[in-house]
Amino acid sequence: MSTCSSSVSDRVSQDAWASKLNKSYYQDDQQVKFMHLQAEIDSLLMQLQNLKQQRLSSNSQEQ
């Protein structure tokens, strides 16, 4: 479980760093596209973590 929380906290720090970078390097339309992609990536990451947790739970119940 610490791996999941570590990944999430790493992602939060990356988001803060990326946000600072993006303010100066991207035009508004590109920034919006980037933010949508970033939100989609975050959503997919959460889905993967949930699936991993479900798999671990079902494996532990089988044993």
Side-chain angles (χ1 to χ4, degrees):
M1 185 93 173
S2 62
T3 305
C4 290
S5 62
S6 173
S7 297
V8 170
S9 64
D10 289 346
R11 181 70 183 156
V12 170
S13 357
Q14 290 172 357
D15 288 345
W17 182 78
S19 177
K20 289 178 186 177
L21 272 179
N22 293 333
K23 288 180 183 175
S24 59
Y25 291 111
Y26 293 111
Q27 294 176 353
D28 289 343
D29 61 333
Q30 292 173 328
Q31 179 70 16
V32 169
K33 289 177 188 177
F34 177 81
M35 289 173 70
H36 282 280
L37 288 172
Q38 190 171 21
E40 189 172 351
I41 289 168
D42 289 340
S43 174
L44 291 170
L45 177 62
M46 286 176 134
Q47 289 177 29
L48 280 172
Q49 290 173 339
N50 288 337
L51 287 171
K52 180 180 178 182
Q53 188 63 37
Q54 288 174 359
R55 188 176 300 151
L56 290 173
S57 293
S58 67
N59 284 344
S60 66
Q61 288 177 357
E62 289 175 2
Q63 295 175 358

